[in-house]
Protein backbone atom coordinates (compact mmCIF):
# COMPACT_ATOMS: atom_id res chain seq x y z
CA UNK A 1 0.00 0.00 0.00
CA UNK A 2 1.66 3.25 -1.14
CA UNK A 3 1.81 6.14 1.32
CA UNK A 4 1.71 9.13 -0.99
CA UNK A 5 0.35 7.76 -4.24
CA UNK A 6 -3.00 6.50 -5.32
CA UNK A 7 -3.53 3.13 -6.84
CA UNK A 8 -6.64 4.37 -8.61
CA UNK A 9 -6.01 4.74 -12.32
CA UNK A 10 -9.13 5.05 -14.49
CA UNK A 11 -9.17 3.73 -18.01
CA UNK A 12 -8.99 6.29 -20.76
CA UNK A 13 -12.27 6.93 -22.51
CA UNK A 14 -12.40 6.09 -26.20
CA UNK A 15 -12.59 9.09 -28.57
CA UNK A 16 -16.07 10.11 -29.68
CA UNK A 17 -17.29 9.65 -33.19
CA UNK A 18 -17.24 12.95 -35.05
CA UNK A 19 -20.33 12.23 -37.16
CA UNK A 20 -23.64 13.41 -35.79
CA UNK A 21 -26.15 10.79 -34.85
CA UNK A 22 -29.00 13.08 -35.86
CA UNK A 23 -30.48 12.64 -39.31
CA UNK A 24 -31.78 16.25 -39.41
CA UNK A 25 -28.72 17.42 -41.34
CA UNK A 26 -29.80 15.15 -44.20
CA UNK A 27 -33.16 16.95 -44.57
CA UNK A 28 -33.72 19.90 -46.88
CA UNK A 29 -34.25 23.42 -45.47
CA UNK A 30 -38.05 23.51 -45.57
CA UNK A 31 -38.38 20.15 -43.83
CA UNK A 32 -35.91 21.22 -41.15
CA UNK A 33 -37.92 24.41 -40.54
CA UNK A 34 -41.07 22.35 -40.07
CA UNK A 35 -39.34 19.79 -37.85
CA UNK A 36 -37.48 22.29 -35.68
CA UNK A 37 -40.26 24.87 -35.53
CA UNK A 38 -38.39 27.67 -37.30
CA UNK A 39 -41.51 29.01 -39.01
CA UNK A 40 -42.64 31.70 -36.56
CA UNK A 41 -45.12 33.64 -38.63
CA UNK A 42 -45.85 37.31 -37.98
CA UNK A 43 -45.78 38.59 -34.38
CA UNK A 44 -49.21 39.49 -33.06
CA UNK A 45 -50.51 41.08 -29.89
CA UNK A 46 -53.83 42.03 -28.39
CA UNK A 47 -54.28 45.50 -26.84
CA UNK A 48 -57.57 46.65 -25.40
CA UNK A 49 -59.51 44.13 -27.47
CA UNK A 50 -57.79 45.14 -30.70
CA UNK A 51 -55.60 42.58 -32.43
CA UNK A 52 -52.41 43.95 -34.02
CA UNK A 53 -49.80 42.25 -36.20
CA UNK A 54 -46.30 43.38 -37.19
CA UNK A 55 -45.90 43.81 -40.94
CA UNK A 56 -43.20 45.67 -42.89
CA UNK A 57 -41.80 47.29 -39.75
CA UNK A 58 -45.14 48.63 -38.46
CA UNK A 59 -47.92 47.42 -36.20
CA UNK A 60 -51.10 47.09 -38.24
CA UNK A 61 -54.62 46.37 -37.00
CA UNK A 62 -55.90 43.08 -38.33
CA UNK A 63 -58.87 43.53 -40.66
CA UNK A 64 -62.23 43.37 -38.97
CA UNK A 65 -60.80 43.26 -35.47
CA UNK A 66 -61.25 46.96 -34.63
CA UNK A 67 -64.10 47.29 -32.18
CA UNK A 68 -63.73 51.03 -31.49
CA UNK A 69 -65.93 53.80 -32.79
CA UNK A 70 -64.87 55.53 -36.00
CA UNK A 71 -65.90 58.91 -34.62
CA UNK A 72 -63.67 58.36 -31.60
CA UNK A 73 -60.76 57.58 -33.91
CA UNK A 74 -61.36 60.78 -35.91
CA UNK A 75 -61.61 62.80 -32.68
CA UNK A 76 -58.30 61.37 -31.50
CA UNK A 77 -56.66 62.19 -34.83
CA UNK A 78 -57.92 65.79 -34.68
CA UNK A 79 -56.69 66.12 -31.10
CA UNK A 80 -53.31 64.69 -32.10
CA UNK A 81 -53.07 67.22 -34.96
CA UNK A 82 -53.95 70.09 -32.59
CA UNK A 83 -51.29 68.99 -30.12
CA UNK A 84 -48.67 68.73 -32.86
CA UNK A 85 -49.50 72.27 -34.05
CA UNK A 86 -49.37 73.60 -30.49
CA UNK A 87 -46.03 71.85 -29.95
CA UNK A 88 -44.62 73.43 -33.12
CA UNK A 89 -45.83 76.87 -32.03
CA UNK A 90 -44.25 76.47 -28.59
CA UNK A 91 -40.95 75.39 -30.16
CA UNK A 92 -41.02 78.50 -32.34
CA UNK A 93 -41.69 80.69 -29.30
CA UNK A 94 -38.79 79.10 -27.41
CA UNK A 95 -36.48 79.73 -30.37
CA UNK A 96 -37.55 83.40 -30.52
CA UNK A 97 -37.07 83.82 -26.77
CA UNK A 98 -33.59 82.28 -26.97
CA UNK A 99 -32.68 84.66 -29.80
CA UNK A 100 -33.96 87.63 -27.77
CA UNK A 101 -32.03 86.48 -24.71
CA UNK A 102 -28.78 86.09 -26.63
CA UNK A 103 -29.24 89.54 -28.22
CA UNK A 104 -29.92 91.15 -24.84
CA UNK A 105 -26.94 89.39 -23.28
CA UNK A 106 -24.65 90.57 -26.08
CA UNK A 107 -25.89 94.17 -25.68
CA UNK A 108 -25.40 93.95 -21.92
CA UNK A 109 -21.80 92.76 -22.36
CA UNK A 110 -21.12 95.61 -24.79
CA UNK A 111 -22.54 98.18 -22.37
CA UNK A 112 -20.49 96.75 -19.49
CA UNK A 113 -17.37 96.95 -21.62
CA UNK A 114 -18.11 100.58 -22.61
CA UNK A 115 -18.76 101.45 -18.94
CA UNK A 116 -15.44 99.92 -17.91
CA UNK A 117 -13.65 101.89 -20.66
CA UNK A 118 -15.31 105.12 -19.50
CA UNK A 119 -14.33 104.42 -15.87
CA UNK A 120 -10.73 103.70 -16.90
CA UNK A 121 -10.67 106.85 -19.08
CA UNK A 122 -12.00 108.93 -16.16
CA UNK A 123 -9.35 107.54 -13.78
CA UNK A 124 -6.56 108.41 -16.21
CA UNK A 125 -7.63 112.07 -16.29
CA UNK A 126 -7.45 112.44 -12.51
Amino acid sequence: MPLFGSTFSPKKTPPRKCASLSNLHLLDRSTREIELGLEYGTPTMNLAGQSLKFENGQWVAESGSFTGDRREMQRLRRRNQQLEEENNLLRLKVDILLDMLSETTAESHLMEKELEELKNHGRRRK
Side-chain angles (χ1 to χ4, degrees):
M1 186 164 155
L3 292 175
F4 299 106
S6 174
T7 58
F8 179 73
S9 59
K11 294 180 182 178
K12 292 189 177 186
T13 58
R16 295 183 180 216
K17 295 179 182 177
C18 62
S20 174
L21 298 176
S22 173
N23 63 355
L24 290 175
H25 68 280
L26 300 174
L27 300 174
D28 63 303
R29 183 175 186 268
S30 60
T31 310
R32 269 187 288 177
E33 285 179 355
I34 293 170
E35 288 291 324
L36 299 175
L38 298 178
E39 186 63 39
Y40 298 118
T42 58
T44 59
M45 69 175 166
N46 190 5
L47 289 175
Q50 183 177 1
S51 181
L52 302 169
K53 61 182 175 179
F54 194 75
E55 288 182 350
N56 300 327
Q58 298 222 345
W59 288 100
V60 180
E62 289 184 358
S63 60
S65 67
F66 184 66
T67 58
D69 189 22
R70 214 177 267 291
R71 283 178 276 149
E72 178 71 13
M73 184 67 91
Q74 290 174 349
R75 187 188 68 79
L76 289 174
R77 283 191 180 132
R78 280 194 308 268
R79 179 69 177 145
N80 189 25
Q81 181 67 28
Q82 288 173 348
L83 290 174
E84 286 178 0
E85 290 173 2
E86 183 180 350
N87 193 18
N88 289 338
L89 178 66
L90 290 174
R91 284 182 182 169
L92 180 65
K93 286 182 177 182
V94 166
D95 286 342
I96 291 171
L97 286 173
L98 286 174
D99 289 343
M100 291 170 60
L101 178 65
S102 61
E103 183 180 343
T104 305
T105 304
E107 289 175 358
S108 172
H109 286 299
L110 285 174
M111 288 181 178
E112 287 176 3
K113 193 174 185 180
E114 288 178 12
L115 185 61
E116 284 295 320
E117 289 176 2
L118 288 175
K119 284 181 181 177
N120 289 337
H121 184 70
R123 290 181 188 160
R124 290 183 200 153
R125 285 189 168 181
K126 290 183 182 179

